[in-house]
Amino acid sequence: MDRKTIIPDYKIMRMILNQCLRRNQNNVLFTVLIYVLLYISSTTIPVMISNMMLGSSVSLGMLFLIILLLLAGIVISQYLTYGKDVIVARMVEKKHITIGYLFNGFRDKTKRVLKASLLFLAIFMGVGLISGIVSLPFIASIFMSGESIDMEAMQRTMLIFSGISILFTLLVSYPFIFTWILMYRMPEAPVLECFGLSAKLVFSQFFRIIGFLFYCCWKYIVILAIFIPLDYFLERIGFSKAGMGGSIFAILFTVLEISAEINMMMRISLAVPIYLFSMTGVLQIHLSEYTPPSQETAIEQSETEQTENGQAENPATTESQQTAPENKADNGESSSES
């Protein structure tokens, strides 16, 4: 892949995204739903198993097994992320896709996906360790505040630091958003080279990439920014328990939030390969199909003016060109009659 980058145009890229989404809307929706379902399963099932194990007698071997289950769940989730990125990249490339590509990472015999997944795991573990160290004094202060533990303060502290940990994880992993697509596009490249190239490309246009991701799905981001705090507030005051109307209203809020999250994921999933292919010149061969309407109108007008001018300047030539086929036809008819 060419290392030289260009600054792509937001409008052209969004036009490509919208056309790709219209052409593959059902495929994108199905892929995102299956991906989210399997992703949640791979990360929550080990937690559920761990809780069941912790309910019985705890030993050092059992703790080691629980940690292995949690780490394996994270690695499996990265395998699924690789498959999802391969599918959306092939959609942008207008190549054949099936849901089987979601499991491409499990069929990788070169172990590149495994190595990359372990690197992502190390990043997540580092973020979790830092967050745990930072939150430890606050949690310890709750335990040392008195004889009784304030569970509400404990939950609030854990919620705050969980949110901070998620945001910090997104920030740290942001430079590597192109890694899986680069590994798919460059099957012979080493894993570290793909990580490094992704970081280099992201830092070359750091805020423009963020701006494009926001530009593609700002409506859904605004909806979630309004609905999530409002839903949390209504739940705190017990609005969902206020009769049938409150329950219906709470269900409606949940449906709208899930719909906005899925639409945002669909657009962001397509926006990442579109930006990568645009900034590296891969999509230049397709730009003729996505020319903005204003440019098409200008081209058509110039061609029309040239045609009209040519006809006005050379009327004799046009008449001679029109009469020539007639003479040929007459000659052909007379020859056939003879």
Side-chain angles (χ1 to χ4, degrees):
M1 182 176 291
D2 191 2
R3 304 301 174 86
K4 296 181 180 179
T5 60
I6 58 177
I7 299 178
D9 184 81
Y10 275 15
K11 293 182 179 179
I12 293 178
M13 288 191 295
R14 189 177 68 172
M15 194 178 302
I16 296 172
L17 189 150
N18 290 334
Q19 292 191 9
C20 186
L21 190 59
R22 283 195 298 268
R23 189 171 57 249
N24 302 281
Q25 186 170 8
N26 293 333
N27 292 329
V28 178
L29 177 61
F30 184 67
T31 299
V32 169
L33 289 176
I34 296 298
Y35 166 73
V36 170
L37 179 62
L38 294 177
Y39 189 98
I40 294 175
S41 300
S42 64
T43 53
T44 56
I45 289 177
V47 175
M48 295 172 60
I49 296 174
S50 302
N51 292 332
M52 293 173 60
M53 289 182 175
L54 289 175
S56 57
S57 58
V58 181
S59 63
L60 185 62
M62 186 174 294
L63 287 175
F64 182 72
L65 179 60
I66 291 172
I67 293 174
L68 285 181
L69 285 174
L70 296 174
L71 297 181
I74 297 175
V75 171
I76 291 174
S77 68
Q78 293 307 302
Y79 272 76
L80 296 170
T81 303
Y82 170 76
K84 183 261 298 178
D85 285 352
V86 169
I87 289 179
V88 294
R90 292 180 68 87
M91 287 180 184
V92 177
E93 294 175 317
K94 300 182 180 179
K95 293 182 179 179
H96 173 71
I97 56 169
T98 62
I99 194 61
Y101 282 102
L102 186 62
F103 309 100
N104 254 20
F106 299 96
R107 294 191 290 265
D108 178 38
K109 297 180 180 180
T110 62
K111 305 300 181 183
R112 295 169 72 241
V113 178
L114 176 61
K115 295 176 183 177
S117 299
L118 292 176
L119 280 176
F120 276 113
L121 175 62
I123 294 173
F124 300 151
M125 288 179 62
V127 172
L129 182 61
I130 294 173
S131 300
I133 294 173
V134 173
S135 62
L136 189 60
F138 295 92
I139 298 175
S141 64
I142 296 175
F143 282 95
M144 298 174 63
S145 58
E147 295 181 358
S148 60
I149 300 174
D150 189 351
M151 295 304 298
E152 185 176 351
M154 183 73 172
Q155 292 177 357
R156 187 167 56 251
T157 302
M158 295 297 293
L159 180 64
I160 292 173
F161 277 96
S162 296
I164 294 174
S165 177
I166 292 173
L167 291 176
F168 191 42
T169 302
L170 292 175
L171 180 63
V172 172
S173 58
Y174 170 65
F176 310 112
I177 58 173
F178 297 142
T179 300
W180 292 126
I181 304 174
L182 290 171
M183 290 181 61
Y184 155 70
R185 292 281 300 176
M186 302 187 302
E188 302 299 328
V191 172
L192 289 177
E193 181 180 345
C194 294
F195 271 82
L197 181 56
S198 175
K200 181 179 179 181
L201 292 172
V202 169
F203 283 115
S204 67
Q205 300 184 28
F206 191 90
F207 294 105
R208 279 191 62 85
I209 298 173
I210 296 177
F212 179 65
L213 297 178
F214 182 82
Y215 180 69
C216 289
C217 54
W218 65 270
K219 296 179 181 178
Y220 304 107
I221 295 175
V222 171
I223 291 174
L224 291 174
I226 295 174
F227 277 30
I228 290 178
L230 183 59
D231 189 21
Y232 177 75
F233 173 74
L234 294 176
E235 185 179 353
R236 292 283 295 177
I237 64 176
F239 186 80
S240 60
K241 300 178 182 179
M244 181 68 69
S247 300
I248 295 175
F249 198 72
I251 294 173
L252 180 61
F253 258 57
T254 303
V255 171
L256 290 174
E257 287 177 17
I258 294 174
S259 176
E261 289 173 355
I262 291 175
N263 278 280
M264 185 178 68
M265 285 191 63
M266 290 169 59
R267 297 186 72 85
I268 289 179
S269 297
L270 285 171
V272 172
I274 286 174
Y275 199 102
L276 174 62
F277 294 160
S278 298
M279 74 186 298
T280 54
V282 176
L283 279 179
Q284 284 182 345
I285 58 175
H286 301 304
L287 288 183
S288 59
E289 302 177 12
Y290 307 103
T291 306
S294 58
Q295 296 184 12
E296 291 179 352
T297 305
I299 294 172
E300 290 174 357
Q301 289 177 353
S302 62
E303 291 178 352
T304 305
E305 291 175 358
Q306 291 177 2
T307 305
E308 292 176 352
N309 294 333
Q311 291 178 353
E313 293 174 358
N314 301 315
T317 306
T318 306
E319 292 177 358
S320 62
Q321 290 176 351
Q322 291 176 353
T323 56
E326 295 178 359
N327 295 333
K328 292 179 179 178
D330 294 338
N331 295 333
E333 289 176 359
S334 59
S335 61
S336 60
E337 289 176 357
S338 62

